[in-house]
Amino acid sequence: MDSLSQLRTELSRYLTDSEARRHDPVGPIDELVRDAGLLEVDGAWVVSSHRLVSALSVDRRLSVDARLGGSEPRFAQPRTLDHVFGLMLNVRDGVDHRRLRGLVSGVFTARRIAELTESAATLIESALNAGDSLEVVSELGVRLPMRMNCELVGVPAEDRTQVLRWVKALARQLDRFGQPQSEVSQAERTLAEFTDYIHALLAKRRLDPRDDIMTRLVKAHGQHMLSTDELVAFVITLFVNGLDTLSAALGTALWTILGQPGLLPKLTNREDARVAFDEAVRLCAPIRLAARTALSDVEVDGRVIEAGSAVLFYWAAANRDPEFTAAPSEFRMDRGAIGTYAFGHGPHQCLGAQLARLTGAELVSRLATRFPESIVDTAVGEVRWQGELVFCSPERLQVKLVPQGAMAVA
């Protein structure tokens, strides 16, 4: 078996076997970018070189909306969920995507981001005060994005616990197929309850406009810029995607940073913490890849991606391309602003990427200041990774909070 055939076999297993991803967050990406920037694997084209990902992720012939390529995707078994999920921002393209994304493009002003960062800092301090350990993914990584998204959308504090239950339940449905009828019925009820709540909140905002996303959506709906179903799908998109993205980013970044001996105590300065966070998510990207469909034949370096083909932009691999940056598998603080694809690239880059980076830097700098000798708590067991294909994150990451000098005393 030649080297490319072996690479295809290894990559196919990694992309299709969730257990392989549970034990290895990176997989064969270093070999991939070294040997093949474009590789056909099981009928799909995997784009991994930084040069090709950069060019093709902005190519309008490759669409995130499979329906434009002539096929109707199924995101979950219940029909109403299929309908709503098919209207979500992250599976729309072309004029529909630009129309919907434009509705909130002005939300992330410098003032609003500063307010949200301060809110995040308050929650981080509270978490650091709560005990001698911190669970980064399933606790802080859930509470942080939920709090910020609720503030952005305009969800009252007393409703946030219930909204979190709905969001978690719907997030689990995104890639579910063939559930028992009992689960299908429960998913339908969850969607109906959340939809009713969104409509009630809309009614309140019509009477009491505020500086939040819901008020913007009310105005857009009144001007016939989006349908009622699109509005519901938009709100669900913000919550579900925001939850997964920030949770994964915090988990992968802290796991990577704490794995660098002696690094954490040097990150008390917020700018140094931001540099470390950026390097950590370059090395282990929280958003592993994204899928597109070719709407027409696309010629790439003398090869043809045929119309209808699936194309995978492998962000995690592009970030570790040796033609993009030197010694790509090493953690280094001196790379400068190289512009990684940890949160995607092109029209569908994560809306909250800047906020995620600032929040991550806030967590790192405060942890470094108060507990500079913190470590991953291996006493609770080996770190096990989620089996998801798109998002890369530990299932749990328990951090033992250790102040300066405590290790020496122990």
Side-chain angles (χ1 to χ4, degrees), residues 100-118:
L100 293 172
R101 191 171 176 113
L103 297 177
V104 293
S105 60
V107 169
F108 296 99
T109 62
R111 177 184 63 82
R112 196 74 174 109
I113 287 177
E115 292 173 350
L116 290 168
T117 304
E118 184 58 34

Side-chain angles (χ1 to χ4, degrees), residues 6-140:
Q6 183 176 352
L7 181 57
R8 282 191 180 92
T9 299
E10 292 177 2
L11 188 60
S12 175
R13 177 176 177 270
Y14 190 76
L15 294 178
T16 57
D17 185 355
S18 62
E19 281 304 308
R21 296 189 295 273
R22 288 186 188 280
H23 294 284
D24 179 5
V26 176
I29 60 176
D30 291 330
E31 296 84 354
L32 181 64
V33 292
R34 183 191 65 211
D35 298 335
L38 179 68
L39 187 67
E40 189 175 11
V41 179
D42 297 336
W45 290 91
V46 179
V47 187
S48 57
S49 79
H50 192 274
R51 174 180 64 86
L52 292 181
V53 165
S54 179
L56 294 177
S57 59
V58 296
D59 192 320
R60 292 186 179 181
R61 294 173 296 176
L62 300 174
S63 174
V64 74
D65 189 346
R67 292 168 298 184
L68 297 181
S71 61
E72 185 69 27
R74 288 191 62 80
F75 298 92
Q77 194 179 57
R79 290 184 178 181
T80 51
L81 282 178
D82 271 351
H83 176 63
V84 171
F85 288 166
L87 295 175
M88 291 173 73
L89 178 65
N90 56 308
V91 295
R92 307 294 292 278
D93 223 331
V95 294
D96 284 335
H97 178 261
R98 291 191 291 275
R99 169 174 57 88
L100 293 172
R101 191 171 176 113
L103 297 177
V104 293
S105 60
V107 169
F108 296 99
T109 62
R111 177 184 63 82
R112 196 74 174 109
I113 287 177
E115 292 173 350
L116 290 168
T117 304
E118 184 58 34
S119 179
T122 300
L123 184 55
I124 290 168
E125 279 297 307
S126 176
L128 293 177
N129 290 332
D132 59 0
S133 69
L134 174 67
E135 206 297 303
V136 176
V137 178
S138 61
E139 293 182 14
L140 185 62

Side-chain angles (χ1 to χ4, degrees), residues 113-114 116-125 128 134 140 144 148 246 250 254 257 264 267-275 277 354-370:
I113 287 177
L116 290 168
T117 304
E118 184 58 34
S119 179
T122 300
L123 184 55
I124 290 168
E125 279 297 307
L128 293 177
L134 174 67
L140 185 62
L144 266 174
M148 289 189 290
L246 186 53
L250 295 180
L254 260 294
I257 288 170
L264 185 62
L267 304 179
T268 55
N269 178 278
R270 193 174 285 110
E271 178 58 24
D272 291 335
R274 185 195 60 76
V275 171
F277 180 85
Q354 182 184 5
L355 186 58
R357 293 171 68 222
L358 290 172
T359 303
E362 193 71 33
L363 172 59
V364 171
S365 65
R366 288 176 182 270
L367 186 64
T369 299
R370 296 190 54 191

Side-chain angles (χ1 to χ4, degrees), residues 149-191:
N149 279 327
C150 283
E151 290 182 11
L152 276 170
V153 172
V155 173
E158 62 269 21
D159 295 342
R160 292 174 185 175
T161 300
Q162 178 58 63
V163 169
L164 176 59
R165 294 194 189 101
W166 287 325
V167 170
K168 282 185 173 180
L170 292 177
R172 288 194 296 268
Q173 285 293 324
L174 279 173
D175 58 358
R176 296 290 301 280
F177 296 89
Q179 304 103 307
Q181 185 56 46
S182 59
E183 291 188 26
V184 173
S185 299
Q186 182 56 53
E188 296 280 12
R189 287 193 294 271
T190 297
L191 179 62

